[in-house]
Amino acid sequence: MPFISLAGAPAGSRRAVAGFVVAVSTLLAAAAAGAQESRSDQVPPQDTPYPGTVAIHVDASDTAQGIFRVHETIPVAAGPLTLLYPQWIPGAHSPSGPIAMLAGLRLGAGGKPLMWKRDKYNVYAFHVDVPAGVSSIDADFQYLSSRDDGFEITDRMMDMSWSSMALYPAGYFSRDITFAPSVTLAHGWQFGTALERADRDRASQSGDTVTFKPVTFNNLVDSPIYAGQYFKRVDLNPGGATPVHLDIVADAPKYLEMTPEQLNAHRALVTQAVKLFGSHHYDHYDFLFSLSDVLGGNGTEHHQSSEDGLDADYFTAWSDNAPGRDLLAHEYTHSWNGKFRRPADLWTPNFNVPMGDSLLWVYEGQTQYWGYVLTARAGLWTPQQFRDALAMTAANYERNRPGFQWRTLEDTTNDATAAHRMGLPYRSWQMSEDYYSGGQMMWLDVDAMLRALTRDKKSLDDFAHAFFGVDDGSYVTKTYTFDDVAAALNGVAAYDWAGFLRARVATLDPPLQDGLAATGWKLVYTDQQSDYEKQYDSRHEPARHLYNFAWSIGLTLNDKNEVNDVRWNGPAFKAGISTGATLIAVNGEACTNEALKAAIAAAKGGKAPIQLLLKYQGGYRTVPVDYHDGLQYPHLVRIEGTPDYLGEIIAARK
């Protein structure tokens, strides 16, 4: 149990913490007593084949109520059996398996019900005693998908994750359990998945039911299905030895159409990624791509596919939607970084053994870096769009991350587990998974340093080729440690890379801005938004909609004028503004994005504060914000007389 200090805490807090300590101590004592019992859910998984094949069928045809109906037939032997529901889901980096959505569980054998009991301490484990003479049991349950936000199925499409649909026997590595999967889709729907049909020559589809080849459970969980009424499959590697496809489901047929230029840019993404890494670690790859204003947006990596979701008008409003275009490149990079090469503490034998996230600044941080770079190299972004996107990231780490005063970049790798990706009241101070973009800024610095050390003969491309490009064609996971990363960098150019990395991931106030100047560019602020940032503001998906005044008065708003972050110790914070408040009026005028901009601009160089009328917790109050430096929007400009490494970094590889 960790040490908890009560010194300096308010009396009420001390009582609450003391009560928590007593409660935890009592729980641990009870757990210790319970440890005398047989806990098959806690028996270390064994790397030995599970006898027999688990048959699983999911009826996913209920598009109206969003109910997935699951039937499994599980080979068993007589005696105690524990079934597990996946808890630690790869890509989520946290114990977030949606166990609350499992309902109606019934176990049976030979037509007779079997009583089950959930584990006393582990809600993801179900115990059952298998009677003598029984060689298989049936499991039936429903997965009840969200009906009010983040839809997994609509009347036009679905995103189905097998990790949400399956129970599996405890005590085995997931790679040692074989599943025979099948699914029933809504009538007439088409689908994309990395799974292979049971027999491609003789159709493995009976009506709306599709049967797939048997597959190990780890690969089943790694192979979601996107399906929909409006579907299109696009070849992104024509003539190539290894197939790569873009499997698109859309809200309407018109959203499936792309121009030749858009098609070429997406094909170039595949070409540029393979040139970068010098290998591939899949025998086929499918981008599962939803274009919808209803289905929940998504971005989840898999070894031979990825779940990608953006707005319905991704293709049809191309000139106005540069933000978000790096999604495909990011998730594709994960096939190399995260799925093939994986931090040693993130590899687990099954989905109920806790994962360690300590190296997510490599897994996600470098993927974020390559996601931006490959988007530019492929032509999905122009060089200016790349620079404008990078400027916004850099500005956050110059002005909007005071949280580095108390925690390190490495410590933010705990955020997925600690916060479960929920909204935070003061993100600039608490921070939230900054290993993504903070890691991106650090890897830019590494790239610049490699170029400087080798007189521009080598770069982070060489590291990527050496580190992720090994064992071409293999997709057996190859783990790594911090020392492996430092050693691989030393293989490109000799330097104290261990010290360099620790100075950025394991210290307070890390120098994450150094990479910009080292690549020949600097961050400046003007009162004009870049075209990229204007597009970012104009996107209509509520979850991502943001009016960003973090770099000026120190707050951000969503499309309902609700304050969703206040920069810690910034002007708005010092005025007493809280997240969760709704901005009603600015200087007596009804609040709009443009009205707030005009008020900030008008206050520049003056003395009168900006008057904000806020609604919060049922009351209204006017808050004067003492800010007079005008609108502040980030841009990158060249440092004259220095090498333009940034231009070299995003140039397409021939």
Side-chain angles (χ1 to χ4, degrees), residues 276-536:
L276 169 64
F277 297 113
S279 67
H280 60 81
H281 302 289
Y282 48 80
D283 55 22
H284 64 284
Y285 190 93
D286 287 79
F287 291 94
L288 308 177
F289 198 19
S290 65
L291 303 181
S292 177
D293 297 326
V294 182
L295 193 77
N298 196 10
T300 304
E301 64 270 19
H302 301 283
H303 212 138
Q304 300 202 111
S305 65
S306 56
E307 297 171 77
D308 309 288
L310 290 172
D311 290 342
D313 61 0
Y314 174 79
F315 291 118
T316 56
W318 185 259
S319 61
D320 190 40
N321 68 6
R325 267 190 229 153
D326 59 306
L327 175 65
L328 295 176
H330 180 103
E331 303 306 340
Y332 189 36
T333 296
H334 270 315
S335 183
W336 291 266
N337 181 12
K339 303 307 292 186
F340 171 61
R341 296 304 309 266
R342 190 176 309 172
D345 61 359
L346 255 175
W347 184 92
T348 57
N350 69 23
F351 302 111
N352 293 72
V353 173
M355 297 176 179
D357 290 339
S358 66
L359 289 174
L360 283 178
W361 49 271
V362 185
Y363 180 120
E364 293 289 6
Q366 195 174 139
T367 296
Q368 186 77 355
Y369 178 80
W370 289 126
Y372 271 44
V373 169
L374 288 173
T375 301
R377 288 184 185 178
L380 290 164
W381 274 343
T382 66
Q384 186 62 51
Q385 288 168 337
F386 168 86
R387 290 192 294 268
D388 291 341
L390 182 59
M392 292 180 68
T393 300
N396 274 337
Y397 288 96
E398 181 177 80
R399 293 192 176 182
N400 197 34
R401 282 299 181 270
F404 277 128
Q405 296 170 23
W406 71 274
R407 66 185 306 201
T408 65
L409 184 67
E410 183 178 52
D411 187 58
T412 70
T413 64
N414 296 298
D415 286 347
T417 298
H420 286 275
R421 295 184 164 172
M422 64 182 179
L424 298 173
Y426 295 99
R427 182 176 177 180
S428 67
W429 183 243
Q430 294 165 283
M431 303 205 297
S432 178
E433 300 189 58
D434 282 76
Y435 53 83
Y436 277 91
S437 296
Q440 173 192 6
M441 295 299 296
M442 186 201 74
W443 287 108
L444 177 66
D445 199 3
V446 172
D447 202 341
M449 179 64 75
L450 287 170
R451 292 170 186 273
L453 289 170
T454 63
R455 297 184 180 180
D456 206 16
K457 293 180 180 177
K458 292 188 177 181
S459 68
L460 198 61
D461 287 53
D462 296 281
F463 169 86
H465 195 285
F467 196 70
F468 302 113
V470 295
D471 301 342
D472 184 25
S474 170
Y475 53 95
V476 176
T477 300
K478 189 178 183 69
T479 61
Y480 62 84
T481 64
F482 176 93
D483 289 342
D484 294 328
V485 176
L489 288 168
N490 268 302
V492 179
Y495 191 66
D496 178 18
W497 286 110
F500 181 98
L501 296 175
R502 289 193 179 100
R504 285 151 179 81
V505 304
T507 63
L508 299 179
D509 291 320
L512 298 180
Q513 296 295 102
D514 288 1
L516 276 180
T519 57
W521 293 77
K522 65 180 178 180
L523 184 66
V524 300
Y525 297 86
T526 75
D527 61 0
Q528 297 297 315
Q529 288 180 297
S530 67
D531 289 340
Y532 178 93
E533 188 170 356
K534 289 177 183 177
Q535 292 178 21
Y536 194 94

Side-chain angles (χ1 to χ4, degrees), residues 101 145-153 293-297 541-543:
M101 301 302 181
S145 64
S146 174
R147 294 287 83 200
D148 57 3
D149 189 26
F151 290 100
E152 296 165 83
I153 186 168
D293 297 326
V294 182
L295 193 77
E541 184 182 348

